[in-house]
Amino acid sequence: MGISGENVLMVGVGGQGIILAGRIIGNAALKMGLEVKVSEIHGMAQRGGSVVTHVRFGRKVYSPTIEVGKADVILAFEKLEALRWLHYLRPGGTMIINDQEIYPLPVLIGKGEYPSDILENIQSKVSDTLALDALKIAVEAGNPKAANMVLLGALAAKLGFEQELWHEVIEQTVPPKTVETNIRAFDMGFERIKSPGACI
Amino acid sequence: MPKLLTGNEAVARGAYEAGVHFASAYPGTPSTEILENLAQYEEVDAQWSPNEKVALETALGACIGGARSIVSMKHVGLNVAADPLFTASYTGVNGGLVIVSADDPGMYSSQDEQDNRYYARFAKIPMLEPSDSQEAKDFTIFAFDLSEEYDTPVLLRLTTRISHGRSPVVLGERTERKVKDYSRNIEKYIVLPAHARRLHVEVENRMSRLRALAEKSPLNKVEMGDRELGIITCGAAYQYVKEACPNASILKLGFSYPVPHELIREFAKQVNRLIVVEELEPLLENEIRALGIKVEGKELFTRFGELSTEIVRKGLGMEDETSFKPEDNIPLRPPVLCPGCPHRGVFYQLNKLKAVVTGDIGCYTLGALPPLSSMDTCHCMGASIGTALGLEKARGKEFARKVVAVIGDSTFLHSGITGLMDVVYNKGTITVVILDNGITAMTGHQHHPGTGYTAKNESTSKVDLEEICRAVGVKRVVTVDCYDLERLGTVLKEEMSAEEPSVVIARRPCILWVRERERAFAVGESCIGCGACIGLGCPAISLLGTAAEINAQMCTGCGLCAQVCPTKAIVRL
Ligand SMILES: Cc1ncc(C[n+]2csc(CCOP(=O)(O)OP(=O)(O)O)c2C)c(N)n1
């Protein structure tokens, strides 16, 4: 891992703060002197739909999107979305999952079933699966809205840029009033992955 | 250090650096942020127009008045603006005029995936197609110079991946420009047939000169590699090609219309196999084939949706390693009306009344999906009202008692008023519901003439919807609160049964636009699990066990569920 280049696919549900998190990763990579492309989808997706952001960085990046089976890391903000996008992961890749369930409307109205064994299913296929309860950690950090920063912290621990650099980028990206909470949440996500065997 | 900008931010920055004076737009994904960003520059007079036609006409006027002007819209917006587009091509410009079309291959948030490169050919204007954000900025600056030098509007064509893709951009300084002199010139700006006949000849001459320019333009780049395979490409497709076959010879067309024929002939001679990789329609491919050059294209790559590295790879017969299989049977996650969305109650009642609903474009199009399931048609912005009248014309007055057109406030002002006029003028009796949430919600909350604020957030005069409806001749105009389900039901029933045209203005601000929340609701002991509340399709309510549940974090306190609950089990916390 590290600066040789990464494909990070971020998946989740509209409104979870994925676009902001994607921008932070992009800016961190840019600060490392790497070439970066981030691809977002706006519009319909924001109304509670399934959303995906592609982040690619390295010495040279052409395509703004990651190919199926070529993501080095999937950062899943929601469990069902982790499963939906699993085929984007490369063999041997890393899956970071927020252990949170957001039921889509078909499930809420009894027209579909939310799979009960997502985590086990993914763990059986992907040996490098890391799960954490980002919402709980964010609440501990002081704001449930900072769950995206917890997940970002978890990813950062995997990517290997300096923690300082991330702090700088977060400071430059989020609203001034929220910097402290966001950095705290980021650090807690970071530590959670760094300390061995600590997931969930 | 370069900055990570989206293509839209880069276009705005490019226009700013090029000294743009005036910018207009009507919102539409994926183009919206271009004007939003331009509105932040003090030096730029930026405005939301009521629709794309007016946006283009205003930019045209500004450019005739000597200002550098830019107008942006989504692909289907250019259909609305097509009329002035075609004659602007004849009259040409004074200050530079750049028209940005953001297309949406793959239809991430659009009703079709038309290929607007056709418009450059159809209207006979030059077209530039950037492949990343740096190019988006550079091409925008070049577009202004090109426009002034060749006396033509210039089409800058983006796609979703360019508009909403971030990549590094080196910023420059703004070059201030004087607004050019204006003087009357009726032979240029009045398209009387006698003038237009001469102007058409000039347009053809201009196209030849532009073609000669495109032949030598640095925006059209040859990257010679392995001569076995030569690929001609443009826009986002270039990136997929580079990724899939880094060693191939490539001709990248950034100045893609008029097509540089000689450049292509030269390139074709140097490679063994010539392939065109372009998203959507085979425009370049057909033109190259018409030159008598052997070329492959759409037999290898789909014309549906966007391209990708893997599609290019597969089309070229390269092996793909297998990885995880996509899972089957994963419940879909369609977009939904938000908790507290004011549109919900209207659709709930229309569903109960078994209305035949002609829909329109906006958040409320989601009212078509289960469980609200209350829409019959939806075509394009403004279509709901004309379609409703047409249904009445086909099926008579009896049927019209069930016909309701629903249209958002922004859409009504965009192109609904003319339809309403038609209903009155041609003696229709249908009912129109204006869903007035006080903002253009779908595209991310932009102001419009009915909000009382400009694109720069300055207060301004505000259109009175009730007065407009009365002024076109509607006698029955009723306003209701979207959160008052019972009154909504009564009013809808009454207006539908009236044998004359009526307008119901269902009013409540978009819940994402007003920040304040009422206290949430919760389900009490007396819930019998009947599922009445589930029929509202609110993502804050679930019924998984024997009783309903409300997610207090998501609930905004609109209270619709409490109103439909037969056992009064739902109460405010
Ligand atoms: C010609 C055209 N221009 C722009 C759009 C993009 N667009 C889709 S919905 C919408 C606005 C909807 O606003 P409104 O009617 O107020 O409904 P709301 O989303 O607020 O419910 C726009 C601008 C489009 N689809 N077609």
Coordinates of all heavy atoms in Angstrom, one line a residue, chain B residues 187-240:
Chain B
E187 N -28.1 44.1 -40.4 CA -27.9 43.0 -41.4 C -27.3 41.8 -40.7 O -27.3 40.7 -41.2 CB -26.9 43.5 -42.5 CG -27.7 44.3 -43.5 CD -26.9 45.1 -44.4 OE1 -25.6 44.8 -44.5 OE2 -27.4 46.0 -45.0
K188 N -26.7 42.1 -39.5 CA -26.1 41.0 -38.7 C -27.1 40.4 -37.7 O -27.2 39.2 -37.5 CB -24.8 41.5 -38.0 CG -24.1 40.5 -37.1 CD -22.7 41.0 -36.7 CE -22.1 40.3 -35.5 NZ -21.9 38.9 -35.6
Y189 N -27.8 41.3 -37.0 CA -28.6 40.8 -35.9 C -30.1 40.7 -36.1 O -30.9 40.4 -35.2 CB -28.4 41.8 -34.7 CG -26.9 41.7 -34.2 CD1 -26.1 42.8 -34.1 CD2 -26.4 40.4 -33.7 CE1 -24.8 42.6 -33.6 CE2 -25.2 40.3 -33.2 CZ -24.3 41.4 -33.2 OH -23.0 41.3 -32.7
I190 N -30.6 41.1 -37.3 CA -32.0 40.9 -37.6 C -32.1 39.8 -38.7 O -31.7 40.1 -39.9 CB -32.7 42.2 -38.0 CG1 -32.7 43.1 -36.8 CG2 -34.1 41.9 -38.5 CD1 -33.4 44.4 -37.0
V191 N -32.6 38.7 -38.4 CA -32.6 37.6 -39.3 C -33.9 37.6 -40.3 O -34.6 36.6 -40.4 CB -32.5 36.2 -38.6 CG1 -31.1 36.0 -38.2 CG2 -33.5 36.1 -37.5
L192 N -34.1 38.7 -40.9 CA -35.1 38.8 -42.0 C -34.5 37.8 -43.1 O -33.3 37.7 -43.2 CB -35.2 40.2 -42.5 CG -36.0 41.2 -41.7 CD1 -35.7 42.6 -42.2 CD2 -37.5 40.8 -41.8
P193 N -35.4 37.2 -43.8 CA -35.0 36.2 -44.8 C -33.8 36.7 -45.7 O -32.9 36.0 -45.9 CB -36.2 36.0 -45.7 CG -37.4 36.2 -44.7 CD -36.9 37.3 -43.8
A194 N -33.9 38.0 -46.1 CA -32.9 38.5 -47.0 C -31.5 38.5 -46.3 O -30.5 38.2 -46.9 CB -33.2 39.9 -47.4
H195 N -31.5 38.9 -45.0 CA -30.3 38.9 -44.3 C -29.8 37.4 -44.0 O -28.7 37.1 -44.1 CB -30.5 39.6 -42.9 CG -30.8 41.0 -43.1 ND1 -31.3 41.8 -42.0 CD2 -30.8 41.9 -44.1 CE1 -31.5 43.0 -42.4 NE2 -31.3 43.1 -43.7
A196 N -30.8 36.6 -43.6 CA -30.5 35.2 -43.2 C -29.9 34.4 -44.3 O -29.0 33.6 -44.1 CB -31.7 34.5 -42.6
R197 N -30.3 34.7 -45.6 CA -29.8 34.0 -46.7 C -28.3 34.3 -46.9 O -27.5 33.4 -47.1 CB -30.5 34.4 -48.0 CG -31.8 33.6 -48.2 CD -32.5 34.0 -49.4 NE -34.0 33.9 -49.2 CZ -34.9 34.9 -49.2 NH1 -34.5 36.1 -49.6 NH2 -36.1 34.6 -48.9
R198 N -27.9 35.5 -46.6 CA -26.5 35.9 -46.7 C -25.7 35.3 -45.5 O -24.6 34.8 -45.7 CB -26.4 37.4 -46.8 CG -25.0 37.9 -47.2 CD -24.9 39.4 -47.1 NE -25.6 40.0 -45.9 CZ -25.1 39.9 -44.7 NH1 -24.0 39.3 -44.5 NH2 -25.8 40.5 -43.7
L199 N -26.4 35.4 -44.3 CA -25.7 34.9 -43.1 C -25.4 33.4 -43.2 O -24.4 32.9 -42.8 CB -26.6 35.2 -41.9 CG -26.7 36.7 -41.5 CD1 -27.7 36.8 -40.4 CD2 -25.4 37.2 -41.1
H200 N -26.4 32.7 -43.9 CA -26.2 31.2 -44.0 C -24.9 30.9 -44.8 O -24.1 30.1 -44.5 CB -27.4 30.6 -44.7 CG -27.3 29.1 -44.7 ND1 -28.1 28.3 -45.4 CD2 -26.4 28.2 -44.2 CE1 -27.8 27.0 -45.3 NE2 -26.7 27.0 -44.6
V201 N -24.7 31.7 -45.8 CA -23.4 31.5 -46.6 C -22.2 31.8 -45.8 O -21.2 31.1 -45.8 CB -23.4 32.5 -47.9 CG1 -22.1 32.4 -48.6 CG2 -24.6 32.2 -48.8
E202 N -22.3 32.8 -44.9 CA -21.2 33.1 -44.1 C -21.0 32.0 -43.1 O -19.8 31.7 -42.7 CB -21.5 34.5 -43.3 CG -21.0 35.6 -44.1 CD -21.2 37.0 -43.4 OE1 -21.1 37.0 -42.2 OE2 -21.5 38.0 -44.2
V203 N -22.0 31.4 -42.6 CA -21.9 30.3 -41.7 C -21.1 29.2 -42.3 O -20.2 28.6 -41.7 CB -23.3 29.8 -41.2 CG1 -23.1 28.4 -40.5 CG2 -23.9 30.8 -40.3
E204 N -21.4 28.9 -43.6 CA -20.7 27.8 -44.3 C -19.2 28.2 -44.4 O -18.3 27.3 -44.3 CB -21.3 27.5 -45.6 CG -22.7 26.9 -45.5 CD -22.8 25.6 -44.6 OE1 -21.8 24.9 -44.6 OE2 -23.8 25.4 -44.0
N205 N -19.0 29.5 -44.8 CA -17.6 29.9 -44.9 C -16.8 29.8 -43.6 O -15.7 29.3 -43.5 CB -17.5 31.4 -45.4 CG -17.9 31.5 -46.8 OD1 -17.8 30.5 -47.6 ND2 -18.4 32.7 -47.2
R206 N -17.5 30.2 -42.5 CA -16.9 30.1 -41.2 C -16.6 28.7 -40.9 O -15.5 28.4 -40.3 CB -18.0 30.6 -40.2 CG -17.5 30.6 -38.8 CD -18.6 31.2 -37.8 NE -19.7 30.2 -37.6 CZ -20.9 30.6 -37.2 NH1 -21.2 31.8 -37.0 NH2 -21.8 29.6 -37.0
M207 N -17.5 27.7 -41.2 CA -17.2 26.3 -40.9 C -15.9 25.8 -41.6 O -15.1 25.1 -41.1 CB -18.4 25.4 -41.3 CG -19.6 25.6 -40.4 SD -19.2 25.7 -38.6 CE -19.1 23.9 -38.2
S208 N -15.7 26.3 -42.9 CA -14.5 25.9 -43.6 C -13.3 26.4 -42.9 O -12.3 25.7 -42.7 CB -14.5 26.4 -45.0 OG -15.7 26.1 -45.6
R209 N -13.4 27.7 -42.5 CA -12.2 28.3 -41.8 C -12.0 27.6 -40.4 O -10.8 27.4 -40.0 CB -12.4 29.8 -41.6 CG -12.3 30.6 -42.9 CD -12.4 32.1 -42.6 NE -13.7 32.5 -42.2 CZ -14.0 33.2 -41.1 NH1 -13.0 33.6 -40.3 NH2 -15.2 33.5 -40.8
L210 N -13.1 27.3 -39.8 CA -12.9 26.6 -38.5 C -12.3 25.2 -38.6 O -11.5 24.7 -37.8 CB -14.3 26.5 -37.8 CG -14.7 27.8 -37.1 CD1 -16.2 27.7 -36.8 CD2 -14.0 28.0 -35.8
R211 N -12.7 24.5 -39.7 CA -12.1 23.2 -40.0 C -10.6 23.3 -40.2 O -9.8 22.5 -39.7 CB -12.8 22.5 -41.2 CG -12.4 21.0 -41.3 CD -13.1 20.3 -42.5 NE -14.5 20.5 -42.7 CZ -15.4 19.8 -42.0 NH1 -15.1 19.0 -41.1 NH2 -16.7 20.1 -42.2
A212 N -10.2 24.3 -41.0 CA -8.8 24.5 -41.2 C -8.1 24.7 -39.9 O -7.0 24.3 -39.6 CB -8.6 25.7 -42.1
L213 N -8.7 25.5 -39.0 CA -8.1 25.8 -37.7 C -8.0 24.5 -36.8 O -7.0 24.2 -36.2 CB -9.0 26.8 -36.9 CG -8.4 27.3 -35.6 CD1 -7.2 28.1 -35.8 CD2 -9.5 28.0 -34.8
A214 N -9.1 23.6 -36.9 CA -9.1 22.4 -36.1 C -8.0 21.5 -36.6 O -7.4 20.7 -35.8 CB -10.5 21.7 -36.2
E215 N -7.6 21.5 -37.9 CA -6.6 20.7 -38.4 C -5.3 20.9 -37.7 O -4.5 20.0 -37.5 CB -6.4 20.9 -39.9 CG -7.6 20.7 -40.8 CD -7.8 19.2 -41.1 OE1 -7.1 18.4 -40.6 OE2 -8.8 19.0 -41.9
K216 N -5.0 22.1 -37.3 CA -3.7 22.5 -36.7 C -3.8 22.7 -35.2 O -2.8 23.0 -34.6 CB -3.2 23.7 -37.3 CG -3.2 23.8 -38.8 CD -2.5 25.0 -39.4 CE -3.1 26.3 -38.9 NZ -4.4 26.7 -39.6
S217 N -5.0 22.6 -34.6 CA -5.2 23.0 -33.2 C -4.5 22.1 -32.3 O -4.5 20.9 -32.4 CB -6.7 22.9 -32.9 OG -6.9 23.1 -31.5
P218 N -3.8 22.7 -31.3 CA -3.1 21.9 -30.3 C -4.1 21.1 -29.4 O -3.7 20.3 -28.7 CB -2.4 23.0 -29.4 CG -3.0 24.3 -29.8 CD -3.6 24.2 -31.1
L219 N -5.4 21.5 -29.5 CA -6.4 20.7 -28.8 C -6.6 19.3 -29.4 O -7.2 18.4 -28.7 CB -7.7 21.4 -28.7 CG -7.9 22.5 -27.6 CD1 -6.9 23.6 -27.7 CD2 -9.3 23.1 -27.6
N220 N -6.2 19.2 -30.6 CA -6.2 17.8 -31.3 C -4.8 17.3 -31.3 O -4.0 17.8 -32.0 CB -6.8 18.0 -32.7 CG -8.2 18.4 -32.6 OD1 -9.0 18.2 -31.7 ND2 -8.7 19.2 -33.6
K221 N -4.6 16.2 -30.5 CA -3.3 15.7 -30.3 C -3.1 14.3 -30.8 O -3.9 13.4 -30.6 CB -3.0 15.6 -28.7 CG -2.7 16.9 -28.1 CD -2.2 16.7 -26.7 CE -3.1 16.0 -25.8 NZ -2.9 16.1 -24.4
V222 N -2.0 14.1 -31.5 CA -1.6 12.8 -31.9 C -0.6 12.2 -30.9 O 0.4 12.9 -30.6 CB -1.1 12.7 -33.3 CG1 -0.6 11.3 -33.7 CG2 -2.1 13.2 -34.3
E223 N -0.9 11.1 -30.3 CA 0.1 10.4 -29.5 C 0.5 9.1 -30.1 O -0.2 8.1 -30.0 CB -0.5 10.2 -28.1 CG -0.9 11.5 -27.4 CD -1.8 11.2 -26.1 OE1 -1.9 10.0 -25.7 OE2 -2.3 12.2 -25.5
M224 N 1.6 9.1 -30.9 CA 2.0 7.9 -31.6 C 2.6 6.9 -30.7 O 3.4 7.2 -29.9 CB 3.0 8.3 -32.7 CG 2.4 8.7 -34.1 SD 0.7 8.1 -34.5 CE 1.1 6.7 -35.5
G225 N 2.1 5.7 -30.8 CA 2.6 4.5 -30.1 C 2.8 3.4 -31.0 O 3.2 3.6 -32.2
D226 N 2.3 2.2 -30.6 CA 2.3 1.1 -31.5 C 1.4 1.3 -32.7 O 0.2 1.7 -32.6 CB 1.7 -0.1 -30.6 CG 1.6 -1.4 -31.4 OD1 2.0 -1.4 -32.6 OD2 1.2 -2.4 -30.9
R227 N 1.9 1.1 -33.9 CA 1.2 1.5 -35.1 C 0.2 0.4 -35.5 O -0.6 0.5 -36.5 CB 2.1 1.8 -36.3 CG 2.7 3.2 -36.1 CD 4.0 3.4 -36.9 NE 4.7 4.5 -36.3 CZ 4.7 5.7 -36.8 NH1 4.0 6.0 -37.9 NH2 5.3 6.7 -36.2
E228 N 0.2 -0.7 -34.8 CA -0.8 -1.8 -35.1 C -2.2 -1.3 -34.9 O -3.1 -1.5 -35.7 CB -0.5 -3.0 -34.2 CG -1.1 -4.3 -34.6 CD -0.9 -4.6 -36.1 OE1 0.2 -4.5 -36.6 OE2 -1.9 -5.0 -36.7
L229 N -2.4 -0.5 -33.8 CA -3.7 -0.1 -33.4 C -3.7 1.4 -33.3 O -3.0 2.0 -32.5 CB -4.1 -0.7 -32.1 CG -5.4 -0.3 -31.5 CD1 -6.6 -0.7 -32.4 CD2 -5.6 -0.9 -30.1
G230 N -4.6 2.1 -34.0 CA -4.8 3.5 -33.9 C -6.2 3.8 -33.4 O -7.2 3.3 -33.9
I231 N -6.4 4.7 -32.4 CA -7.7 4.9 -31.8 C -8.0 6.4 -31.9 O -7.1 7.3 -31.5 CB -7.7 4.5 -30.3 CG1 -7.6 2.9 -30.3 CG2 -9.1 4.9 -29.7 CD1 -7.6 2.4 -28.9
I232 N -9.1 6.8 -32.4 CA -9.6 8.2 -32.4 C -10.6 8.3 -31.3 O -11.6 7.5 -31.2 CB -10.1 8.6 -33.8 CG1 -9.0 8.4 -34.8 CG2 -10.6 10.0 -33.7 CD1 -9.5 8.7 -36.2
T233 N -10.5 9.3 -30.4 CA -11.4 9.4 -29.3 C -11.5 10.8 -28.8 O -10.8 11.7 -29.3 CB -10.9 8.4 -28.1 OG1 -11.8 8.5 -27.1 CG2 -9.5 8.9 -27.6
C234 N -12.4 11.0 -27.9 CA -12.7 12.4 -27.4 C -13.3 12.3 -26.0 O -13.9 11.3 -25.6 CB -13.6 13.2 -28.4 SG -15.2 12.3 -28.6
G235 N -13.3 13.4 -25.3 CA -14.0 13.5 -24.0 C -13.5 12.5 -23.0 O -12.3 12.1 -23.0
A236 N -14.4 12.0 -22.1 CA -14.1 11.0 -21.1 C -13.5 9.7 -21.7 O -12.7 9.1 -21.1 CB -15.3 10.7 -20.2
A237 N -14.0 9.4 -22.9 CA -13.5 8.1 -23.5 C -12.0 8.0 -23.6 O -11.4 7.0 -23.5 CB -14.2 7.9 -24.9
Y238 N -11.4 9.2 -23.9 CA -9.9 9.2 -24.0 C -9.3 8.6 -22.8 O -8.3 7.8 -22.9 CB -9.5 10.7 -24.1 CG -8.0 10.9 -23.9 CD1 -7.1 10.6 -24.9 CD2 -7.5 11.4 -22.7 CE1 -5.7 10.7 -24.7 CE2 -6.1 11.6 -22.5 CZ -5.2 11.3 -23.5 OH -3.9 11.5 -23.3
Q239 N -9.8 8.9 -21.6 CA -9.2 8.4 -20.4 C -9.3 6.9 -20.3 O -8.4 6.2 -19.8 CB -9.8 9.0 -19.1 CG -9.9 10.5 -19.1 CD -8.5 11.2 -19.0 OE1 -7.5 10.5 -18.9 NE2 -8.5 12.5 -19.0
Y240 N -10.4 6.3 -20.7 CA -10.6 4.9 -20.7 C -9.7 4.2 -21.7 O -9.1 3.2 -21.4 CB -12.1 4.5 -20.9 CG -13.1 5.2 -20.1 CD1 -14.2 5.9 -20.6 CD2 -12.9 5.4 -18.7 CE1 -15.1 6.5 -19.8 CE2 -13.8 6.1 -17.9 CZ -14.9 6.6 -18.5 OH -15.8 7.3 -17.7

